[in-house]
Amino acid sequence: MFTGLVEYVGTIESVELCEIGARPDSAGARSDRIGASIRVQAGPLLDGLAKSGSIAVNGCCLTAVDISNGTFAADLSGETLRRTSLGEMKPGKRVNIERPLTAMKELGGHFVQGHVDGVGRVVRLEAEGANWWFAVQVPGDLARYIAMKGSIALDGISLTVAGWHDNIVETAIIPFTYEHTNLSSLKVGDAVNVECDILAKYVERLVESKRESAESRMTIARLVEEGF
C-alpha cells in the first residue's frame, strides 16, 4: 500500500526481457516477451529496503530481488508487462519511486495499491503561470472509475481529477510536484501508468454482487413457480 507521494526520482539502469516461453498475444501472434528483469537506481531509498521488500516504480508495486551498487532489481511478470509501461522503459529513463506506507506514516495522498489498471498516454503538458496542466488519455474501460475531483494515480503520483472529457483526465500540477517527480521529463505521447481509486472499484463490485444475488433469487423463484 502506498500514498502516491513520490519520495525520489530514480533512473532505469537496465531492462532485460526474458524469453521464458511462447504465448499468443491478443492478436493471436506468438510472443516470447513473457517476463523481464528491471534494475533501478534508487538513491537514498535503498536505506532500509531489504531483499524481498516492496517498492513502487512509476506506481507499480515491485519486489526487490537483489540490492547492490546503489540499485535494486525486480522481476516483471507477463501480466506486469501487459498492464504497465515498464516494458517500454529504456536505460536512463527517470521514474518515480515510493516506499510502502507504514503504520506511523502520514497519509497525505490517497490509498494507492501499486496495482496498475492500464496504460494511458500524455496528451497535454502545458505551463500556466508557475503551474502546469497535465492531461492523460486513459483506456476506455477505465472511464467508469473516473470522477471529477476524485483521486487518480498517474505514474504513481496522487493527483486530483480537475477535468474529464473524451476519456482524458486533466490534472493541475503545482511547481513542487513538477520538480520532484518525473513529470518534467515527460512529453506528449509518452506512456503513463494509471491506477484508479480503489473505492470506485469496490463499489462497482458490491453493486455487481447484489445484482447477481437478485438475479439468482429471481431464477429460483421462477423455477418453483414452474413446478421444478
Side-chain angles (χ1 to χ4, degrees):
M1 185 72 73
F2 305 89
T3 67
L5 300 184
V6 176
E7 295 182 278
Y8 184 77
V9 179
T11 56
I12 299 295
E13 184 171 281
S14 65
V15 179
E16 298 180 2
L17 297 176
C18 305
E19 297 184 358
I20 302 174
R23 180 183 301 174
D25 62 17
S26 59
R30 306 294 288 186
S31 173
D32 290 330
R33 293 181 57 171
I34 307 303
S37 176
I38 190 170
R39 184 168 290 277
V40 183
Q41 183 277 324
L45 297 195
L46 289 180
D47 295 340
L49 177 64
K51 189 175 180 180
S52 80
S54 296
I55 191 164
V57 176
N58 274 4
C60 180
C61 181
L62 301 176
T63 299
V65 298
D66 179 71
I67 301 172
S68 60
N69 301 321
T71 67
F72 72 87
D75 294 329
L76 308 179
S77 68
E79 173 68 3
T80 300
L81 292 176
R82 286 186 292 272
R83 289 274 187 176
T84 75
S85 65
L86 295 184
E88 300 181 28
M89 294 289 133
K90 304 294 183 184
K93 185 76 172 180
R94 300 172 74 235
V95 290
N96 299 321
I97 303 178
E98 182 188 354
R99 292 170 294 188
L101 179 66
T102 61
M104 299 301 294
K105 189 175 180 180
E106 179 181 352
L107 181 58
H110 73 281
F111 285 123
V112 177
Q113 291 182 294
H115 302 163
V116 175
D117 293 305
V119 177
R121 295 285 169 178
V122 177
V123 296
R124 180 188 180 195
L125 185 57
E126 297 178 359
E128 183 181 64
N131 301 304
W132 296 77
W133 279 105
F134 178 47
V136 173
Q137 185 164 37
V138 303
D141 60 345
L142 302 182
R144 62 187 185 274
Y145 302 123
I146 311 298
M148 277 293 295
K149 300 304 179 182
S151 295
I152 190 169
L154 299 176
D155 262 0
I157 309 168
S158 175
L159 296 170
T160 300
V161 178
W164 172 242
H165 60 90
D166 304 317
N167 289 349
I168 294 175
V169 172
E170 298 262 5
T171 62
I173 306 297
I174 62 172
F176 185 90
T177 302
Y178 184 80
E179 295 166 4
H180 292 84
T181 66
N182 71 339
L183 290 179
S184 61
S185 61
L186 292 180
K187 62 183 184 300
V188 172
D190 281 351
V192 174
N193 289 330
V194 179
E195 181 183 334
C196 301
D197 192 349
I198 184 176
L199 296 178
K201 288 181 275 188
Y202 276 122
V203 168
E204 179 184 55
R205 183 60 192 128
L206 284 170
V207 172
E208 288 178 348
S209 179
K210 288 184 177 181
R211 184 183 301 116
E212 291 167 359
S213 178
E215 290 175 352
S216 177
R217 287 195 298 271
M218 289 173 62
T219 301
I220 294 174
R222 187 172 298 110
L223 287 173
V224 172
E225 289 176 1
E226 296 295 329
F228 289 93

